[in-house]
Amino acid sequence: KAGVTQTPRYLIKTRGQQVTLSCSPISGHRSVSWYQQTPGQGLQFLFEYFSETQRNKGNFPGRFSGRQFSNSRSEMNVSTLELGDSALYLCASSSLAGAVNEQFFGPGTRLTVL
Amino acid sequence: QQQVKQSPQSLIVQKGGISIINCAYENTAFDYFPWYQQFPGKGPALLIAIRPDVSEKKEGRFTISFNKSAKQFSLHIMDSQPGDSATYFCAARDFNKFYFGSGTKLNVKP
């Protein structure tokens, strides 16, 4: 079974630009969560989607948004990029939202904002 | 505010030794406590997890000890190996949200 895939793996953008990251969950998984990982703040929850609906949202500004498609693939968008948005963005999929199922993480997208 | 506090930030252990990483929390609504292992350039991978109705769970060389009254849980790595060198994160789940500790960078010396 293929794991969680994220594209692109690396991105360099400049301040003020917009970026879209993509995540393909494990086949059959309907829940996708997004996290931001930075050396200073660690892993922080962005949002979770289940069956195309956002079920939970972390404490991030509205510049961070996401969506999920009918095939469970998810995208995350960050508008008006700031230097502080430089981070590793991870997505994780699980088969059932809320179930005691493990989350499988993708390798992440490394975003650098110049 | 950090929902899950993890210590130490870094740890150096000799090969064959025991590595111990501790986490503490306040939210009594947490119902699932996983530990993740992350190697450079990779996403975190689930190592072992425990529910609050269990005080200890062992899987191979990895053991979680859970103290519900103290709101603390810890990861013990027995017979630590150089291949265990990685960053370890504890986490706790409240409904569908996972809160992660700040991570412990483990270095196992040969």
Side-chain angles (χ1 to χ4, degrees):
Chain A
K1 216 177 200 182
V4 178
T5 57
Q6 291 186 246
T7 56
R9 291 294 311 278
Y10 302 92
L11 261 181
I12 300 175
K13 293 284 187 179
T14 55
R15 276 182 301 173
Q17 285 188 308
Q18 174 181 283
V19 69
T20 299
L21 312 182
S22 180
C23 172
S24 292
I26 291 171
S27 177
H29 284 193
R30 294 163 64 190
S31 170
V32 173
S33 297
W34 287 90
Y35 295 86
Q36 181 194 65
Q37 186 175 27
T38 59
Q41 299 295 320
L43 269 157
Q44 291 189 288
F45 173 77
L46 279 154
F47 28 66
E48 184 221 358
Y49 285 87
F50 180 77
S51 293
E52 301 178 66
T53 302
Q54 186 181 89
R55 285 173 57 99
N56 269 296
K57 192 176 190 306
N59 297 324
F60 279 81
R63 300 185 296 107
F64 292 81
S65 63
R67 59 178 176 167
Q68 187 179 33
F69 302 95
S70 58
N71 62 357
S72 294
R73 189 177 71 85
S74 177
E75 286 182 348
M76 191 193 93
N77 186 76
V78 188
S79 62
T80 321
L81 283 166
E82 299 177 0
L83 294 178
D85 296 334
S86 294
L88 180 68
Y89 289 89
L90 292 159
C91 86
S93 76
S94 61
S95 58
L96 274 175
V100 187
N101 282 352
E102 61 181 280
Q103 287 191 316
F104 293 86
F105 281 85
T109 293
R110 172 74 63 186
L111 172 64
T112 302
V113 182
L114 303 176
Chain B
Q1 185 189 358
Q2 195 80 17
Q3 294 259 4
V4 180
K5 294 182 180 176
Q6 183 173 346
S7 63
Q9 194 172 12
S10 63
L11 184 60
I12 299 175
V13 172
Q14 289 296 127
K15 179 183 173 182
I18 303 173
S19 304
I20 302 174
I21 305 170
N22 301 299
C23 285
Y25 64 96
E26 287 297 326
N27 185 353
T28 55
F30 288 147
D31 64 353
Y32 176 64
F33 300 86
W35 283 89
Y36 289 86
Q37 179 189 57
Q38 186 177 27
F39 292 104
K42 304 281 188 182
L46 180 69
L47 198 58
I48 186 172
I50 198 167
R51 300 198 68 173
D53 52 350
V54 176
S55 61
E56 186 175 280
K57 183 174 181 181
K58 184 176 180 179
E59 287 184 3
R61 295 184 295 109
F62 301 92
T63 300
I64 299 179
S65 295
F66 189 86
N67 187 328
K68 190 173 181 178
S69 59
K71 297 186 200 133
Q72 295 175 348
F73 58 110
S74 59
L75 175 70
H76 291 64
I77 306 175
M78 312 300 287
D79 187 27
S80 299
Q81 299 297 312
D84 297 331
S85 297
T87 299
Y88 293 81
F89 294 93
C90 61
R93 189 186 72 165
D94 178 5
F95 191 50
N96 291 325
K97 282 188 184 180
F98 282 84
Y99 297 89
F100 285 79
S102 54
T104 296
K105 191 168 184 179
L106 172 65
N107 185 5
V108 181
K109 298 279 192 186

